[in-house]
Amino acid sequence: MCGIFGCVLKDGLAAPIIHSSLKLLEYRGYDSAGEATINEGKLYLKKDSGKIADIHEKFNLDELPGKIGIGHTRWATHGAPSQVNAHPHTDCLNQIAVVHNGIIENFEELRMELIDKGHVFVSKTDTEVIPHLIEENLKRGLDFHQAFKDAVKRLKGSYALAVISTFEPEKIFCARKESPLIVGLAENGSFFSSDIPALLPYTKNIVEVFDEEAVILTHQEVELRKLEDWSPVTRKPKTISWTIEGAMKKGYPHFMLKEIHEQAFSLKEALRVQEKYLDLLVTFLDRSKQVFLVASGTSYHSCIAASYVLSKLARIPVYPVVASEFIEQFGNSVNIDSTILAVSQSGETADVLRAVDHARFKAATILGLTNVLGSTLTRVSRAYICQNSGPEIGVAATKTFTAQIAVLTLIALRLAKLRGKISQDEMDYLHQKLHELPKIIEKILETQEENVKRLAHKYKDSKVFYFLGRGVNVATALEGRLKLLEIAYIPSIAYPAGESKHGPISLIEPGFPVIFVCPKGETYKATINNIMEMKARDALTIGIIDETDEEARKYLDDYIEIPAGVPEILSPIPYVVPLQLFAYYMALEKGLDPDKPRNLAKSVTVI
Ligand code: F6R
């Protein structure tokens, strides 16, 4: 997601400090950057899309006057990367500037309301409603504190935001809900950021800002308040001993582990995708005669899961296709009645783009699901949607997989509704269950990580693994296998469990480890039969099971428990998490760096 930083100093210029801190946020990935300061009753602002070094060369980011300022690195979610969409955003009169990390869910509604009141919007971002809301509150006669407070109250979604203004030229107003925000205290002033690395050059003395709190910074003090009732909060500063490198990983030893742990949050953000884009995608899908889901690697596994979900819920058959095979396999049959939903985290995978180009040439409709707004995929798609995962640095995809499946499930639910294939009760039930998944992931991480670590140690010398799942969890088994082989270099195979007896079962000999993805649901009984088949051949059986499942435990040598109550159709999202952890800890057992698997690149831009 976006990075935010700001400071209010006793002496000296804020801009050079903001500029060098933005550079410390670069590691997270970004597409635009900007900063704003206040000096002698005037607001100064510089921003653009592109790399910080290039923006600096063009505008000189050190040359903004004033002791107070805010800065931002943007990872686009609403509106493509461009100068107008870059932060900070301002009100109509350029007196209020805002930086924001998160997603304002109700921004369309607020924007319409403010446009009706005469406000002029220049960007496509959700953030721009914030300065205008404050401006509107000031027009109503509120003082700045009250105007800020009332504006934040109207926001739905996630945010860590910071505001400077000519009305309170010595104060920075911040608020936090779900997105990270930390304050730093130093001799020469107060600082805030979304990320600890950006604070470390100035101070190790930090104050955490908790969820649903506001903080007002002056150069001498910080005032914490609860958003709900504006009551004061007292919290002592802490001294942190992290290095910049350690802080970039938020104290986790690797980005991959950090990103596995971020999944509760990234899933929530994925579920905040904009309804109007879902509607648009669904309209195209509904009218096409053939739908191909085209992707590579982990994104292809999301497509496999989505093919089950779309077929089960919306009753439309779709073909998940490996991008590098698309032209050979379906190149001749794709036509004006076909829709290609290309799924690519980076939006730059060459195989995906080549398949898309071919389909465009054949007049097919191209839709995109990506994590990178402004990527080539967004440019070549008729309509696209962003999965809102924020930057993923570990080469192995983790949080972007679960987010992709979540968005694809939302698409399936909407399509099912449009086609009248789902009852209101079932729809509400699945929506509710989807929104419960972040909590379930938190619980898995809390209760099962040690268990997975123990299993990785136990199985560290196994030369091969076999992953089996049925139904939608064929995708989970494939993804578990891909994670293990790509980062722990352990040759592994994955199959639909029912296919096992048509060949691969001949591999089984005593002690051969077989991992089953075994949620409760329609495929459960058949999976139990497959577990028994393996047990009868003295395989070592490991199951990812529902915590209430007493039956499976009888046939399993080891198991990892998932909280009860997950519908099978949604189960790949939580059930893949232990498999990601297993791959991670296996890599550590083998002395490998999980963030840098050999021969692999984060984005594969060659065919
Ligand atoms: C595996 C992994 C790769 C990518 C694949 C597609 O962990 O990261 O298999 O999933 O290269 O990348 P995107 O989704 O960017 O098209």
Side-chain angles (χ1 to χ4, degrees):
M1 289 282 144
C2 308
I4 62 174
F5 177 86
C7 58
V8 42
L9 306 175
K10 194 153 85 187
D11 291 308
L13 289 176
I17 290 183
I18 299 170
H19 173 202
S20 57
S21 299
L22 293 184
K23 287 200 271 188
L24 284 172
L25 296 174
E26 276 191 302
Y27 76 99
R28 320 161 77 252
Y30 66 103
D31 50 62
S32 325
E35 53 188 51
T37 60
I38 302 280
N39 190 46
E40 296 183 352
K42 203 169 161 223
L43 190 136
Y44 296 82
L45 188 144
K46 292 182 178 177
K47 62 180 188 176
D48 207 349
S49 58
K51 292 283 151 217
I52 293 171
D54 298 334
I55 303 173
H56 179 54
E57 204 174 305
K58 237 160 116 184
F59 298 119
N60 193 348
L61 290 170
D62 295 336
E63 253 184 23
L64 289 94
K67 297 181 198 170
I68 182 168
I70 53 179
H72 190 263
T73 52
R74 178 167 190 250
W75 178 272
T77 58
H78 295 61
S82 67
Q83 190 178 35
V84 277
N85 288 335
H87 297 216
H89 288 285
T90 57
D91 62 317
C92 296
L93 298 175
N94 268 326
Q95 292 173 313
I96 303 165
V98 177
V99 288
H100 163 224
N101 171 25
I103 296 172
I104 306 300
E105 277 169 22
N106 58 336
F107 85 100
E108 293 277 19
E109 172 194 323
L110 294 171
R111 189 180 161 106
M112 293 323 290
E113 177 187 317
L114 289 158
I115 288 174
D116 274 353
K117 291 187 169 137
H119 290 260
V120 177
F121 281 77
V122 293
S123 80
K124 288 205 162 173
T125 63
D126 50 342
T127 305
E128 201 186 351
V129 296
I130 305 168
H132 290 282
L133 265 179
I134 300 174
E135 181 181 33
E136 186 57 31
N137 290 342
L138 290 170
K139 270 200 219 158
R140 290 199 288 128
L142 302 183
D143 69 14
F144 196 82
H145 282 246
Q146 194 67 41
F148 170 77
K149 199 170 107 182
D150 280 19
V152 173
K153 267 208 177 126
R154 303 278 321 268
L155 306 177
K156 291 198 181 126
S158 60
Y159 47 80
L161 59 91
V163 184
I164 52 170
S165 80
T166 56
F167 299 93
E168 286 282 4
E170 290 177 4
K171 290 183 180 169
I172 303 179
F173 291 73
C174 305
R176 169 185 181 179
K177 186 171 166 246
E178 292 181 24
S179 302
L181 182 66
I182 312 120
V183 164
L185 308 172
E187 278 282 293
N188 190 34
S190 309
F191 302 76
F192 73 85
S193 184
S194 48
D195 294 58
I196 291 179
L199 297 176
L200 288 178
Y202 314 105
T203 182
K204 291 199 180 281
N205 214 9
I206 62 143
V207 180
E208 284 171 90
V209 183
F210 292 172
D211 228 21
E212 313 219 8
E213 285 182 352
V215 57
I216 300 164
L217 280 66
T218 66
H219 74 79
Q220 297 142 309
E221 57 179 14
V222 297
E223 182 187 329
L224 280 166
R225 298 206 168 251
K226 285 211 167 92
L227 282 179
E228 198 190 359
D229 54 6
W230 215 243
S231 56
V233 176
T234 317
R235 188 165 305 127
K236 288 206 178 115
K238 280 191 200 162
T239 307
I240 42 164
S241 52
W242 290 359
T243 58
I244 290 187
E245 157 87 9
M248 284 175 175
K249 295 175 190 154
K250 288 206 179 127
Y252 291 103
H254 298 96
F255 284 111
M256 182 179 176
L257 189 61
K258 169 179 169 277
E259 285 156 3
I260 291 173
H261 276 262
E262 271 169 10
Q263 287 181 106
F265 176 73
S266 55
L267 195 56
K268 274 193 207 161
E269 296 294 81
L271 294 172
R272 291 191 164 113
V273 291
Q274 285 183 63
E275 310 230 322
K276 65 176 182 189
Y277 296 129
L278 281 176
D279 282 339
L280 189 59
L281 256 66
V282 160
T283 313
F284 285 118
L285 289 170
D286 183 47
R287 67 170 201 214
S288 40
K289 294 219 170 97
Q290 287 165 316
V291 177
F292 298 99
L293 303 177
V294 177
S296 305
T298 290
S299 299
Y300 169 63
H301 298 154
S302 310
C303 292
I304 293 180
S307 68
Y308 285 82
V309 182
L310 279 156
S311 168
K312 275 197 185 292
L313 298 180
R315 317 278 157 95
I316 77 163
V318 297
Y319 306 98
V321 191
V322 169
S324 56
E325 285 299 314
F326 179 77
I327 298 175
E328 282 300 315
Q329 200 178 357
F330 293 107
N332 280 352
S333 48
V334 67
N335 59 44
I336 196 166
D337 294 322
S338 318
T339 292
I340 312 304
L341 173 52
V343 179
S344 172
Q345 184 282 128
S346 61
E348 299 295 350
T349 297
D351 289 324
V352 174
L353 297 176
R354 190 164 161 263
V356 160
D357 269 354
H358 177 90
R360 280 169 80 202
F361 182 71
K362 296 282 194 127
T365 301
I366 310 299
L367 307 177
L369 165 59
T370 181
N371 192 29
V372 184
L373 283 194
S375 59
T376 309
L377 181 59
T378 62
R379 289 198 294 274
V380 296
S381 298
R382 184 88 179 270
Y384 57 85
I385 196 157
C386 180
Q387 60 181 89
N388 299 340
S389 310
E392 188 173 64
I393 296 174
V395 166
T398 52
K399 64 175 181 171
T400 54
F401 176 68
T402 42
Q404 280 169 349
I405 300 183
V407 177
L408 290 164
T409 305
L410 289 177
I411 292 174
L413 281 166
R414 203 146 274 236
L415 191 56
K417 184 177 162 200
L418 180 75
R419 294 164 70 96
K421 302 291 184 195
I422 192 168
S423 70
Q424 184 68 46
D425 281 355
E426 195 185 355
M427 175 106 185
D428 290 348
Y429 170 75
L430 287 174
H431 267 290
Q432 186 204 324
K433 289 290 172 187
L434 254 181
H435 284 87
E436 285 172 10
L437 290 179
K439 278 253 165 304
I440 290 200
I441 290 183
E442 266 169 23
K443 188 150 178 231
I444 295 168
L445 292 167
E446 254 169 56
T447 61
Q448 298 300 310
E449 188 161 356
E450 280 308 310
N451 184 23
V452 176
K453 210 165 161 177
R454 179 187 64 80
L455 294 180
H457 186 66
K458 175 171 170 185
Y459 289 94
K460 70 179 187 331
D461 296 323
S462 300
K463 298 279 173 272
V464 60
F465 279 85
Y466 192 11
F467 290 80
L468 292 174
R470 277 181 180 261
V472 69
N473 282 302
V474 168
T476 320
L478 286 164
E479 180 59 8
R481 174 202 63 162
L482 176 59
K483 289 294 89 104
L484 188 65
L485 67 81
E486 73 178 332
I487 63 163
Y489 312 152
I490 302 177
S492 305
I493 49 174
Y495 265 89
E499 189 63 10
S500 173
K501 57 188 169 300
H502 298 287
I505 199 165
S506 67
L507 285 172
I508 302 302
E509 52 186 20
F512 195 108
V514 187
I515 298 182
F516 287 90
V517 185
C518 182
K520 291 255 176 95
E522 285 171 25
T523 62
Y524 175 73
K525 281 272 167 258
T527 311
I528 292 288
N529 288 341
N530 296 128
I531 300 177
M532 286 161 71
E533 261 162 36
M534 292 297 170
K535 205 60 235 152
R537 285 159 181 83
D538 285 332
L540 283 174
T541 51
I542 306 153
I544 319 292
I545 60 167
D546 184 296
E547 64 183 358
T548 61
D549 187 348
E550 295 303 330
E551 172 78 4
R553 277 170 226 254
K554 290 191 224 153
Y555 315 111
L556 291 169
D557 293 284
D558 288 293
Y559 50 83
I560 297 160
E561 293 175 355
I562 304 294
V566 179
E568 185 175 10
I569 196 82
L570 307 181
S571 59
I573 297 175
Y575 278 66
V576 78
V577 174
L579 298 179
Q580 297 167 338
L581 285 172
F582 185 65
Y584 172 80
Y585 284 111
M586 283 299 263
L588 294 197
E589 286 290 347
K590 297 179 138 318
L592 301 168
D593 179 350
D595 282 343
K596 295 192 191 100
R598 69 185 172 211
N599 306 333
L600 290 175
K602 184 70 188 157
S603 177
V604 184
T605 53
V606 288
I607 294 170

